[in-house]
Amino acid sequence: AQSVTQLGSHVSVSEGALVLLRCNYSSSVPPYLFWYVQYPNQGLQLLLKYTSAATLVKGINGFEAEFKKSETSFHLTKPSAHMSDAAEYFCAVSGDNQGGKLIFGQGTELSVKP
Amino acid sequence: DVKVTQSSRYLVKRTGEKVFLECVQDMDHENMFWYRQDPGLGLRLIYFSYDVKMKEKGDIPEGYSVSREKKERFSLILESASTNQTSMYLCASSPYNTETQYFGPGTRLLVL
């Protein structure tokens, strides 16, 4: 069975600092991996996705993630945090004949301090 | 742009009421999904549908049912609302055989 673990339910960084949100997955087949962002009182918006092309995936708003098969990880990074990045971030995995279903992690709330 | 709309942003209901949450997508997507979101638990799949009149149970279907009479509309029904169904409900859609899901803004339901 597939699963996703996000390490840290809350992450706090200073404005301009590196953002690193961690995601580890388990999957018996090559996965599709996703990062979604949820701003307060809104639905989820796709940040980026990995679909077995390049291992370094660039997304919107300056975010990127690197697929590391040996570590079963798909961590999300951004070189310099902005106040507007404060939101909740979800990692998700698909594949394994799930027919379009996604398995989501528990979410990480990112706070950005001035 | 894909647009997924949900009938209400906020809803307050009483225990035992029958509750309907409506979701409509405008991109002719085959797949539609209902999730509930609770703090610390992420998103959990309630029901999903691959086609009109088709439905499949997700991970937490108990206490819920769904209806998909038209391709663009997927309804979530709480037959008899209970306080433990107080939650944020999110609808999503995706094209056939594609994993990328597009989400609506969510309905925050409070059951008193």
Side-chain angles (χ1 to χ4, degrees):
Chain A
Q2 292 174 304
S3 65
V4 175
T5 301
Q6 291 183 239
L7 299 175
S9 57
H10 296 274
V11 170
S12 182
V13 300
S14 297
E15 194 171 19
L18 171 72
V19 176
L20 171 61
L21 303 182
R22 299 177 188 273
C23 173
N24 288 88
Y25 70 92
S26 68
S27 177
S28 58
V29 298
Y32 291 170
L33 292 158
F34 302 78
W35 276 100
Y36 282 86
V37 60
Q38 184 181 34
Y39 298 105
N41 297 315
Q42 294 186 27
L44 275 67
Q45 178 183 357
L46 181 67
L47 264 182
L48 52 82
K49 64 179 179 181
Y50 167 76
T51 57
S52 77
T55 56
L56 182 62
V57 182
K58 293 189 184 297
I60 61 172
N61 301 339
F63 284 93
E64 62 182 36
E66 186 173 8
F67 172 68
K68 292 188 176 180
K69 185 177 178 181
S70 60
E71 299 178 8
T72 60
S73 69
F74 190 57
H75 301 332
L76 182 70
T77 60
K78 182 174 180 178
S80 176
H82 294 165
M83 298 295 292
S84 60
D85 294 326
E88 188 153 22
Y89 292 79
F90 291 93
C91 183
V93 64
S94 182
D96 195 17
N97 297 318
Q98 290 291 304
K101 290 197 304 182
L102 296 178
I103 308 298
F104 285 87
Q106 306 91 319
T108 297
E109 185 171 353
L110 175 67
S111 301
V112 182
K113 298 175 291 188
Chain B
D1 278 353
V2 176
K3 188 147 185 174
V4 181
T5 57
Q6 295 184 228
S7 51
S8 304
R9 295 299 304 274
Y10 301 94
L11 211 51
V12 181
K13 296 292 181 182
R14 297 217 172 267
T15 302
E17 280 193 74
K18 190 168 186 175
V19 182
F20 293 87
L21 303 182
E22 305 286 343
C23 175
V24 177
Q25 50 94 3
D26 67 356
M27 283 302 292
D28 203 35
H29 286 172
E30 285 75 17
N31 304 332
M32 295 190 76
F33 306 83
W34 274 108
Y35 297 89
R36 66 176 281 175
Q37 180 183 6
D38 300 288
L41 298 178
L43 276 71
R44 293 179 291 167
L45 183 63
I46 305 172
Y47 267 97
F48 59 103
S49 169
Y50 292 139
D51 202 350
V52 176
K53 297 194 184 296
M54 277 195 56
K55 60 184 178 184
E56 302 229 10
K57 293 180 180 179
D59 301 316
I60 52 163
E62 296 78 17
Y64 304 94
S65 62
V66 290
S67 172
R68 194 166 181 200
E69 296 297 318
K70 293 185 178 181
K71 189 175 185 179
E72 68 270 19
R73 187 180 297 269
F74 192 36
S75 303
L76 180 69
I77 303 156
L78 286 65
E79 296 289 344
S80 177
S82 63
T83 54
N84 63 13
Q85 293 179 308
T86 291
S87 187
M88 168 75 105
Y89 290 88
L90 291 163
C91 175
S93 71
S94 67
Y96 172 73
N97 214 26
T98 303
E99 283 72 17
T100 303
Q101 294 183 16
Y102 300 88
F103 284 81
T107 296
R108 194 169 290 280
L109 173 66
L110 173 63
V111 182
L112 299 174

